[in-house]
Amino acid sequence: MNDKIESAPHEGRSFAPPATFSETAQPSAAALAALYREAAEDHSGFWARQARRNLSWKLPFTQGLDDSHPPFFKWFADGWLNASYNALDRHLDSRGDKTALIFESDEGTVQRYSYRALHAEVCRFANGLRTLGLHKGDRVVIYLPMGPQAIIAMLACARIGAIHSVVFGGFSADSLRDRIRDAGARLVITADAAPRGGRLVPLKDTVDAALAAGYDTVRQVVVYRRNGAAIAWNREHDIWWDDVVAGQLAVCEPEWVEAEFPLFLLYTSGSTGKPKGVQHSTAGYLLGAMTSMQWVFDPRPDDVFWCTADVGWITGHSYVCYGPLLNGMTQVVFEGVPTHPDPERFWRMIAAHQVSIFYTAPTAIRALMRNGDELPRRHDLGSLRLLGTVGEPINPEAWMWYHRVIGNERCPIVDTWWQTETGAAMIAPVPGVVAAKPGSCTRPLPGIAVDIVDEQGAPVTAPYEGGYLVVNKPWPSMLRTIWGDDARYEKTYFGQFGKQVYVAGDGAHRDEDGYIWILGRIDDVLNVSGHRLGTAEIESALASHPRVAEAAVVGRPHEIKGEAVLAFVVARGERHAAVADGLAAELREWVGTRIGAIAKPDEIRFVDGLPKTRSGKIMRRLLRTVGRGETITQDTSTLENEAILGQLCAAEARASAAA
Ligand code: WTA
């Protein structure tokens, strides 16, 4: 079995919520118990009640879950609604002047949008999109910097029933083109160029490169003028954002859509080379984003929420764009990075904007922790009352630092486990009720039927016994399919234990208190700085280089990034020549242009061959062991070429000597 299922770190410390927090927190212990009870009694009815209470419907639904064609589940299917109406319009009477967004740019300028102002911008842009000829069901790729325009673009798409697919600005032209093509996008929305961490990201140039070989389905490219950078202009296709909204009305009748109508696609890495277009529904997704926000973050009217994720990832969809707005919250939106202009940026911003709920990634915490306690202590972090983490397991040391230095030992920490596919947080402590343990995401939220099972699908009951993390019942915010590939959806997520059991791809175990501990991915997916990367994707990028015969990629523990990318490469020609003439550096750049900078291997080792079984399968587990410098304990008798092993170990010895 995979090593991710066997390992068992123990952590004994437990932190109950401070009494001052629990006294007023929602849900309270009693309310939470009632939610679990309700969900256990009637799963579909529970979610139906939540959907009636939380969402505004144009046409009410009559049925909760439709599970007549597993694993293609439907929720609230005969209801009609609109996502942007739910995020904006329904707040206008009660809190139209409330600040929705506090945007801080990379350079540090601040801009605020009230709910009314954001609504007006969304309507204008939505009317503009309609004028461009966009209709319900058209796909729109958004390749924008993190900022209000990204949110406006997403909500404007939702307003007219266009399906948005946001691509993170760090992806390369090749990756962008693949996504544009797979989605069959009619429109691309981008910016001229955007500063990030003091450097300029040439977004429009990248879009041009992505479309250089042909526009395919793309009719137009909308360009937001972020900073006036010089760009090439294609008169046939390019149009300025300002011209799209010029003269448009600040009201726009929403396109009402069926509950199951796709709200967005978001591409994510899987265990094969091709990224998957994870397809989310409208109503179910919105409900998950909304209720999880309520249960996990205890939102109050005067909170200032800050989720540091980019909208290019699912966290930015659910806890920047949709969740906070659905709940009528005020939030900080940040264009930059935590270390620019200096590693005090986060702490300075928390103090400046009086942030009360802060949600970030373990990798950022680890990076900032390295700079010591002194930097955060220079700032008044007294506005904070709740902290959160997402994206990867947090090591207890980083958790304790977050708790002690950032939370001043008075803020609960919510460690939220979820995925692009789950749409919303699934396993996380309800902060006023559930005691936290450093490194555990604790318990499933109400209405989420999580379990841990063995190879046969039988529940694992013994504490610390590892197994597959699964979800036994459909939940509203689950993905509906992989865009254009129902078969892959079925095989990837429901192929192992039947059509009712969603397999998350993570290994996990419970402790003696029933707390869940995530042990990491058990498929060939890496988690680097909280970002998902498929090993197969990086391997095929490497193998497409003319001087590479074969490549295998594995993860290796990394102090800050969580996992680092280690590539074993068989070069064409002589190995030592390859090292000498800088092929490693060239290959790193090559992967950067094929996929994006985040996928560049941290280390490349040239070898004469890869360890394979006699049937030709690469023995990744062996490579992982070697890459970690651990003693090989697995059975190597099935190795086709045992001499390779000695070479791999020698390469490892050289690498650690060099380090
Ligand atoms: C990992 C990010 C441990 C996990 C929201 C999952 C976590 C993958 C946690 C999904 C957590 C996410 N503790 N591991 N709190 N949150 N993961 O799709 O391996 O980018 O399968 O979604 O991140 O990554 P994705």
Side-chain angles (χ1 to χ4, degrees):
M1 211 193 242
N2 190 295
D3 39 1
K4 286 284 171 47
I5 307 195
E6 285 162 12
S7 62
H10 289 227
E11 164 66 47
R13 286 170 289 192
S14 170
F15 296 84
T20 46
F21 187 95
S22 294
E23 273 161 17
T24 52
Q26 287 299 330
S28 64
L32 182 63
L35 289 171
Y36 283 121
R37 206 167 41 239
E38 258 187 77
E41 276 162 16
D42 176 8
H43 186 70
S44 168
F46 167 75
W47 281 115
R49 277 188 296 280
Q50 291 293 335
R52 285 194 190 97
R53 185 179 316 146
N54 284 292
L55 297 175
S56 296
W57 295 86
K58 181 68 174 173
L59 201 73
F61 61 90
T62 56
Q63 192 191 355
L65 170 65
D66 171 358
D67 58 359
S68 52
H69 299 288
F72 299 93
F73 303 103
K74 293 178 180 171
W75 285 93
F76 326 121
D78 58 350
W80 288 67
L81 77 175
N82 178 278
S84 89
Y85 182 91
N86 273 275
L88 299 171
D89 301 54
R90 62 186 177 145
H91 304 310
L92 293 184
D93 288 341
S94 57
R95 50 193 150 205
D97 296 324
K98 180 173 177 172
T99 301
L101 310 181
I102 305 170
F103 171 60
E104 184 165 320
S105 71
D106 198 56
E107 302 99 328
T109 54
V110 176
Q111 201 183 355
R112 286 163 195 273
Y113 290 76
S114 66
Y115 272 88
R116 203 178 311 288
L118 187 60
H119 175 262
E121 295 288 335
V122 168
C123 286
R124 267 194 279 270
F125 195 59
N127 285 325
L129 293 180
R130 277 194 178 137
T131 307
L132 293 182
L134 252 78
H135 295 111
K136 179 179 174 186
D138 287 339
R139 273 83 60 206
V140 175
V141 163
I142 297 175
Y143 189 66
L144 279 169
M146 178 62 184
Q149 282 67 38
I151 296 170
I152 291 165
M154 291 162 83
L155 292 172
C157 287
R159 192 152 196 101
I160 64 167
I163 302 168
H164 61 70
S165 182
V166 183
V167 177
F168 174 60
F171 279 113
S172 70
D174 285 7
S175 293
L176 180 61
R177 184 190 45 235
D178 290 347
R179 286 157 172 76
I180 291 171
R181 282 197 179 153
D182 190 81
R186 267 206 59 178
L187 190 79
V188 176
I189 304 173
T190 190
D192 44 4
R196 192 158 187 272
R199 285 193 303 215
L200 214 53
V201 185
L203 295 162
K204 173 64 162 59
D205 290 354
T206 308
V207 171
D208 290 345
L211 298 175
Y215 278 67
D216 298 313
T217 49
V218 176
R219 305 246 188 101
Q220 259 150 336
V221 177
V222 175
V223 186
Y224 175 70
R225 200 190 303 264
R226 168 62 184 82
N227 64 351
I231 51 169
W233 196 256
N234 178 327
R235 282 173 181 218
E236 220 177 299
H237 297 282
D238 295 347
I239 177 165
W240 289 110
W241 175 298
D242 285 348
D243 292 332
V244 174
V245 296
Q248 296 292 353
L249 292 178
V251 287
C252 171
E253 176 64 15
E255 176 82 39
W256 305 104
V257 300
E258 314 85 298
E260 281 294 314
F261 193 76
L263 177 59
F264 66 86
L265 311 179
L266 185 58
Y267 284 82
T268 189
S269 294
S271 45
T272 68
K274 194 170 168 275
K276 319 177 264 204
V278 168
Q279 178 183 323
H280 277 287
S281 72
T282 299
Y285 171 81
L286 293 177
L287 184 64
M290 196 170 176
T291 53
S292 63
M293 183 106 217
Q294 292 166 5
W295 296 333
V296 177
F297 292 110
D298 177 31
R300 302 180 193 181
D302 54 355
D303 269 322
V304 177
F305 179 75
W306 183 15
C307 166
T308 66
D310 192 284
V311 280
W313 310 108
I314 191 67
T315 308
H317 280 62
S318 304
Y319 301 105
V320 178
C321 186
Y322 290 106
L325 297 177
L326 287 163
N327 284 293
M329 299 180 80
T330 296
Q331 69 171 321
V332 172
V333 173
F334 179 39
E335 186 177 44
V337 299
T339 48
H340 178 81
D342 55 52
E344 287 171 70
R345 185 73 186 258
F346 273 4
W347 321 131
R348 194 179 298 122
M349 283 181 63
I350 288 172
H353 302 303
Q354 292 287 291
V355 171
S356 56
I357 309 176
F358 183 63
Y359 188 36
T360 195
T363 184
I365 298 168
R366 286 193 295 264
L368 295 170
M369 179 172 82
R370 260 222 313 211
N371 295 293
D373 302 4
E374 164 57 19
L375 300 190
R377 294 226 153 107
R378 282 185 198 158
H379 303 274
D380 179 6
L381 304 181
S383 57
L384 289 172
R385 66 178 193 88
L386 182 58
L387 302 172
T389 69
V390 58
E392 52 181 315
I394 182 164
N395 49 313
E397 191 199 355
W399 196 100
M400 287 306 301
W401 185 81
Y402 200 30
H403 170 69
R404 197 168 46 78
V405 181
I406 307 307
N408 205 8
E409 299 184 20
R410 43 174 199 82
C411 303
I413 297 180
V414 287
D415 177 347
T416 60
W417 177 87
W418 57 295
Q419 307 176 295
T420 304
E421 293 86 342
T422 70
M426 304 284 279
I427 313 177
V430 169
V433 181
V434 180
K437 296 188 189 186
S440 168
C441 49
T442 75
R443 297 172 189 282
L445 292 173
I448 303 298
V450 165
D451 205 354
I452 299 171
V453 301
D454 66 16
E455 296 274 356
Q456 281 70 47
V460 166
T461 48
Y464 300 104
E465 197 180 316
Y468 298 87
L469 188 71
V470 298
V471 190
N472 278 326
K473 288 181 190 166
W475 67 103
S477 67
M478 69 192 294
L479 80 165
R480 293 304 192 262
T481 189
I482 291 171
W483 179 254
D485 201 344
D486 284 352
R488 189 172 174 198
Y489 162 79
E490 192 161 346
K491 182 165 171 276
T492 307
Y493 304 108
F494 297 90
Q496 209 169 345
F497 306 118
K499 291 184 186 181
Q500 294 283 348
V501 182
Y502 170 85
V503 183
D506 279 334
H509 69 229
R510 288 196 187 84
D511 66 15
E512 56 278 345
D513 298 324
Y515 275 44
I516 294 173
W517 299 74
I518 305 294
L519 304 172
R521 301 289 307 191
I522 47 176
D523 49 11
D524 295 320
V525 173
L526 305 184
N527 192 329
V528 178
S529 299
H531 301 320
R532 269 166 75 165
L533 295 170
T535 52
E537 239 176 291
I538 307 175
E539 283 164 5
S540 71
L542 285 167
S544 70
H545 189 282
R547 291 188 57 195
V548 172
E550 211 181 2
V553 167
V554 295
R556 191 184 55 190
H558 185 279
E559 206 186 324
I560 303 225
K561 302 205 276 189
E563 232 172 349
V565 180
L566 169 61
F568 293 90
V569 169
V570 182
R572 292 185 199 279
E574 221 255 311
R575 174 164 49 97
H576 300 293
V579 184
D581 68 5
L583 182 57
E586 189 181 322
L587 290 179
R588 292 187 73 243
E589 289 313 307
W590 178 266
V591 173
T593 28
R594 296 290 124 152
I595 305 175
I598 47 168
K600 285 185 188 174
D602 294 271
E603 195 193 329
I604 295 180
R605 290 189 198 164
F606 293 98
V607 286
D608 289 338
L610 298 172
K612 288 185 188 165
T613 61
R614 293 203 171 88
S615 59
K617 231 178 112 163
I618 295 173
M619 297 177 74
R620 283 167 198 289
R621 193 176 164 194
L622 193 64
L623 286 174
R624 268 199 295 271
T625 309
V626 172
R628 287 180 185 158
E630 292 168 2
T631 329
I632 294 168
T633 53
Q634 38 293 65
D635 177 13
T636 55
S637 62
T638 54
L639 258 184
E640 180 209 37
N641 176 2
E642 260 193 274
I644 290 296
L645 205 57
Q647 202 184 79
L648 290 171
C649 294
E652 166 59 28
R654 269 198 307 280
S656 33

